[in-house]
Amino acid sequence: MFSQNRNPSHALSGMYQKMQVDTGVESASKHRLVGMLFEGLLDACAQARGHLQSGNVEAKCKALQRATRIVDEGLKARLDLAGGGKLAMDLRDLYAYVSVRLTHANLHNDEAAIDECQRLVRPIQSAWESIGLQAQAA
């Protein structure tokens, strides 16, 4: 059932976590989906920092690749540049910068670049959450 290289409890935990994410995505609103992208990005960055500190280069690479994909294929791709005006263009530019810094962090094992990306994204995530709370209250 499990390969010899994997811990069975770790594999089961991973399958359970994937099931939770899949279920959450299926039932989430469009607003919540973007919130989940922010959470996934920050989580991937935190994992990358931990792997970098522990010297696990392969896991660090995977975590930073995941973070970059979330930025490029999730957050940046969802922007409405035609209807979003200057704000959407500013976010596009910010996401492009974050993507470059994540790639730099991956290539150069630069923990400060990972921290910078987290600092840049957190206020946007917080603003996005506030918009969701305001919409729910209305």
Side-chain angles (χ1 to χ4, degrees):
M1 181 173 176
F2 298 104
S3 70
Q4 293 176 355
N5 296 337
R6 292 195 66 170
N7 178 342
S9 63
H10 184 263
L12 289 173
S13 173
M15 286 188 287
Y16 178 73
Q17 185 177 23
K18 181 177 177 355
M19 183 185 74
Q20 283 184 308
V21 169
D22 291 345
T23 302
V25 167
E26 290 173 9
S27 64
S29 68
K30 290 180 181 181
H31 186 86
R32 180 68 190 121
L33 288 172
V34 174
M36 292 171 78
L37 289 171
F38 283 121
E39 291 167 10
L41 169 60
L42 293 173
D43 180 60
C45 287
Q47 288 179 16
R49 283 183 81 240
H51 294 309
L52 181 61
Q53 291 171 351
S54 70
N56 188 340
V57 175
E58 182 179 352
K60 180 256 331 176
C61 288
K62 286 181 180 180
L64 286 173
Q65 288 169 349
R66 179 174 156 243
T68 303
R69 287 187 65 206
I70 290 169
V71 171
D72 291 340
E73 298 172 20
L75 295 170
K76 194 162 56 166
R78 287 185 161 271
L79 292 172
D80 177 6
L81 297 176
K86 182 169 173 18
L87 176 60
M89 288 186 242
D90 288 347
L91 285 171
R92 177 199 60 198
D93 294 344
L94 176 68
Y95 294 152
Y97 178 77
V98 168
S99 182
V100 166
R101 294 298 289 158
L102 289 169
T103 301
H104 169 86
N106 201 3
L107 294 172
H108 300 283
N109 294 322
D110 187 346
E111 189 174 338
I114 298 170
D115 294 341
E116 177 187 15
C117 292
Q118 290 176 302
R119 281 192 310 273
L120 290 170
V121 169
R122 280 193 184 109
I124 308 224
Q125 178 193 30
S126 178
W128 188 257
E129 289 173 359
S130 293
I131 291 169
L133 293 174
Q134 291 172 6
Q136 287 177 352

